[in-house]
């Protein structure tokens, strides 16, 4: 490898491990099916939430808006599909254009998104949440 290739590879490594770029995560349950484990109940902070990796390079946003109440949403912002952040102070935000969603319901609070986050059914099964 010549010097230029080494430098370019070094730069690329910082961005994508110098090879195939990492596939972009999509929102939703991916290839999981009803009854498949999503996350341990203890991993979902009370009053907040967590992004959970799902099979098929997908993610879900699982929230616990009130103690013992769990909901899951497809974290793809309905505006252009970028992944939202877990909630802070009851609000889920999209870092790309600033849309805001209610952490309890997924309803849009502030645009540019014109619709809320899509809910994905989860149910508690012992110490875990599973797809409903």
């Amino acid at each position: 490898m010549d010097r230029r290739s080494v430098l370019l590879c070094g730069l690329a490594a910082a961005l994508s491990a110098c090879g195939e770029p990492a596939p972009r995560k999509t929102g939703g349950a991916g290839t999981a099916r009803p009854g498949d484990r999503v996350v341990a109940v203890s991993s979902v902070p009370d009053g907040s939430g967590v992004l959970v990796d799902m099979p098929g390079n997908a993610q879900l946003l699982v929230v616990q808006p009130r103690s013992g109440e769990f909901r899951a949403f497809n974290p793809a912002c309905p505006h252009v599909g970028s992944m939202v952040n877990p909630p802070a102070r009851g609000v889920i935000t999209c870092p790309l254009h600033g849309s805001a969603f209610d952490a309890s319901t997924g309803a849009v609070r502030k645009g540019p998104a014109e619709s809320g986050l899509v809910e994905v059914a989860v149910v508690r099964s012992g110490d875990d949440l599973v797809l409903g």
Side-chain angles (χ1 to χ4, degrees), residues 51-65:
L51 286 167
V52 177
D53 289 335
M54 298 297 292
N57 203 40
Q59 285 187 318
L60 285 179
L61 173 61
V62 181
V63 298
Q64 185 177 190

Side-chain angles (χ1 to χ4, degrees), residues 104-119:
S104 295
T105 65
V108 67
R109 283 189 172 180
K110 179 184 125 191
E114 295 180 1
S115 60
L117 298 174
V118 175
E119 187 165 3

Side-chain angles (χ1 to χ4, degrees), residues 47-124:
S48 187
V50 63
L51 286 167
V52 177
D53 289 335
M54 298 297 292
N57 203 40
Q59 285 187 318
L60 285 179
L61 173 61
V62 181
V63 298
Q64 185 177 190
R66 285 171 284 291
S67 185
E69 177 186 329
F70 299 93
R71 298 182 89 169
F73 300 102
N74 179 331
C77 179
H79 178 233
V80 294
S82 60
M83 295 298 143
V84 298
N85 293 323
R89 294 178 297 283
V91 180
I92 299 167
T93 57
C94 177
L96 191 58
H97 295 116
S99 291
F101 305 91
D102 184 276
S104 295
T105 65
V108 67
R109 283 189 172 180
K110 179 184 125 191
E114 295 180 1
S115 60
L117 298 174
V118 175
E119 187 165 3
V120 176
V122 292
V123 294
R124 187 171 184 160

Side-chain angles (χ1 to χ4, degrees), residues 35 37 39 41 122-131:
R37 182 183 183 276
V39 68
V41 167
V122 292
V123 294
R124 187 171 184 160
S125 177
D127 293 334
D128 293 323
L129 296 175
V130 299
L131 286 179

